[in-house]
Amino acid sequence: MKTLMTATALLLATSSLASAEGVLNLYNWGNYTSPELLAKFEAETGIKVTVTDYDSNETALAKVEAGGSGFDLVVPSANYVPIFVEKGLIQELDLTRLANHGNIAPEWVDVPWDKGRKFTIPWQWGSTGIAVNTSVYKGDPNTSAVFLEVPDELKGKINVVPEMNDIVNLAIMFVGGEPCTEDTEVLKKARDALLAAKPDWLSMDYGATEKMSNNDWAASVNWNGSTMRIRLANPDVVFGFPREGYPLFMDSVALLKDAQNVDEAYKFLDFIMIPENAAMISSFARYANGIAGSEPFMPEDMKTAPEVVVPEEFRAAGRFLPTCSPKATEYVTAIWTELQK
């Protein structure tokens, strides 16, 4: 009986903590949430936000799906939003509680992954490409050959971010296929290209912002906002948009089905749709956002940044990754599993 009472008391205490008034638990990508934004939100509302980081969509999905996470909000990428919806992990938003919902830029409202923005609010969007230190490598950065046919100058000096969908689909597009293909010949070519290149990689790590800033790595498959932050610390670094095709992404905030701090969550969602606040999100992580009217509040250096403003010749090569079919997902996962060995 004593054990049962102790366990019950602990459960009640934990539940009370998770749903405590004036707190909010955000589950987000690492190094992606502006401390300045959180400080402003707490000052204006009295709500303290606790941020827990994750490093991939797969990690976030698995954690939330396991249940009992204690998180209120999560920030999946576009191609994962339909998965969260289908699995019943996030709830449809009550738009009457979001006075600023009309601030979402028109082009980001009827998006394929969330028509009418019924489940998510834009966070940030950007592209996956190649960061290169030009003091080490003088060649063309605008090709996935930088990591799939590693030039001599970069052998043993290049990192590949361990983001399954980005990396496998970059390889698929490099060999002439389309993202989420079920064509086994194309998939074999992509797998073979990745396996052949891997011995020339130094690492598969998420730390590009710090390690390329410090010259620990000479190149990395990376995201544009992170690369802008690197360039500001290390002017030798440039961002390449692979002409063979590269992923675009938009990460959006969703309210979890089992959220405990729902009122606080709605206040936060409405807060981040105020243009000035959306600009704070972008100012920190250096990605564009989806809120109309945020432009005047954005840092001047982002308005012309080569990582943010895609050159005309490479715009058509960028594409949002679709939500893959179960079979395509099985193929991609199998390639990724083999690459991890």
Side-chain angles (χ1 to χ4, degrees):
M1 178 64 72
K2 182 177 179 182
T3 303
L4 178 62
M5 288 180 65
T6 303
T8 302
L10 180 61
L11 179 63
L12 288 172
T14 304
S15 174
S16 175
L17 179 64
S19 60
E21 187 176 353
V23 300
L24 178 66
N25 298 306
L26 172 64
Y27 194 33
N28 201 358
W29 296 82
N31 203 10
Y32 203 41
T33 310
S34 164
E36 184 182 8
L37 176 88
L38 299 184
K40 181 180 180 183
F41 179 70
E42 183 174 357
E44 292 187 9
T45 65
I47 298 168
K48 181 171 180 56
V49 181
T50 298
V51 182
T52 302
D53 295 344
Y54 54 83
D55 57 13
S56 72
N57 281 296
E58 294 81 18
T59 298
L61 178 62
K63 179 72 173 178
V64 171
E65 196 171 12
S69 67
F71 303 129
D72 302 303
L73 298 171
V74 68
V75 193
S77 298
N79 56 325
Y80 273 74
V81 170
I83 300 173
F84 274 82
V85 172
E86 183 182 338
K87 291 179 176 289
L89 301 174
I90 59 177
Q91 55 183 287
E92 187 168 344
L93 298 172
D94 179 356
L95 301 187
T96 66
R97 301 184 67 176
L98 297 171
N100 295 313
H101 195 266
N103 289 342
I104 299 176
E107 65 268 29
W108 298 115
V109 176
D110 280 319
V111 288
W113 58 88
D114 185 10
K115 291 286 187 181
R117 284 291 178 176
K118 295 178 180 178
F119 287 91
T120 63
I121 300 301
W123 183 257
Q124 293 182 96
W125 73 275
S127 56
T128 307
I130 315 291
V132 173
N133 188 318
T134 58
S135 71
V136 178
Y137 179 62
K138 309 290 187 187
D140 182 10
N142 297 297
T143 171
S144 288
V146 173
F147 82 99
L148 291 172
E149 297 174 353
V150 184
D152 290 341
E153 302 96 312
L154 295 176
K155 288 181 178 178
K157 302 175 183 177
I158 185 169
N159 174 70
V160 173
V161 291
E163 182 62 29
M164 178 178 75
N165 284 284
D166 281 353
I167 301 307
V168 176
N169 280 296
L170 275 167
I172 287 171
M173 288 185 277
F174 181 72
V175 300
E178 290 296 317
C180 290
T181 184
E182 296 181 10
D183 186 325
T184 54
E185 287 301 313
V186 169
L187 288 159
K188 183 178 183 302
K189 288 178 183 177
R191 180 202 65 188
D192 290 349
L194 287 164
L195 293 177
K198 186 182 178 183
D200 293 328
W201 302 344
L202 172 64
S203 55
M204 295 182 72
D205 193 291
Y206 282 101
T209 304
E210 295 76 21
K211 292 185 179 179
M212 284 199 70
S213 295
N214 298 334
N215 289 311
D216 294 332
W217 301 338
S220 180
V221 178
N222 199 36
W223 297 285
N224 64 316
S226 167
T227 305
M228 180 179 177
R229 294 167 74 181
I230 295 167
R231 176 177 58 80
L232 294 175
N234 186 345
D236 289 331
V237 174
V238 299
F239 184 72
F241 298 88
R243 58 174 50 84
E244 304 88 4
Y246 59 90
L248 298 174
F249 67 85
M250 172 171 266
D251 299 322
S252 301
V253 193
L255 179 60
L256 289 169
K257 198 81 165 185
D258 60 355
Q260 297 296 305
N261 304 294
V262 175
D263 290 342
E264 290 82 357
Y266 271 104
K267 288 178 182 176
F268 186 78
L269 291 172
D270 210 39
F271 180 82
I272 64 174
M273 289 187 287
I274 296 171
E276 185 176 356
N277 299 335
M280 291 174 71
I281 296 173
S282 295
S283 298
F284 173 74
R286 299 292 182 162
Y287 297 94
N289 63 72
I291 302 302
S294 64
E295 294 81 5
F297 303 102
M298 299 281 274
E300 285 299 319
D301 59 1
M302 282 191 70
K303 296 176 183 177
T304 57
E307 303 86 359
V308 177
V309 182
V310 184
E312 181 66 37
E313 64 179 304
F314 300 121
R315 288 179 188 173
R319 61 200 75 177
F320 282 96
L321 298 181
T323 302
C324 295
S325 68
K327 182 172 283 295
T329 300
E330 183 181 335
Y331 286 141
V332 168
T333 304
I335 292 171
W336 190 248
T337 300
E338 192 169 356
L339 190 63
Q340 302 306 299
K341 292 178 181 176

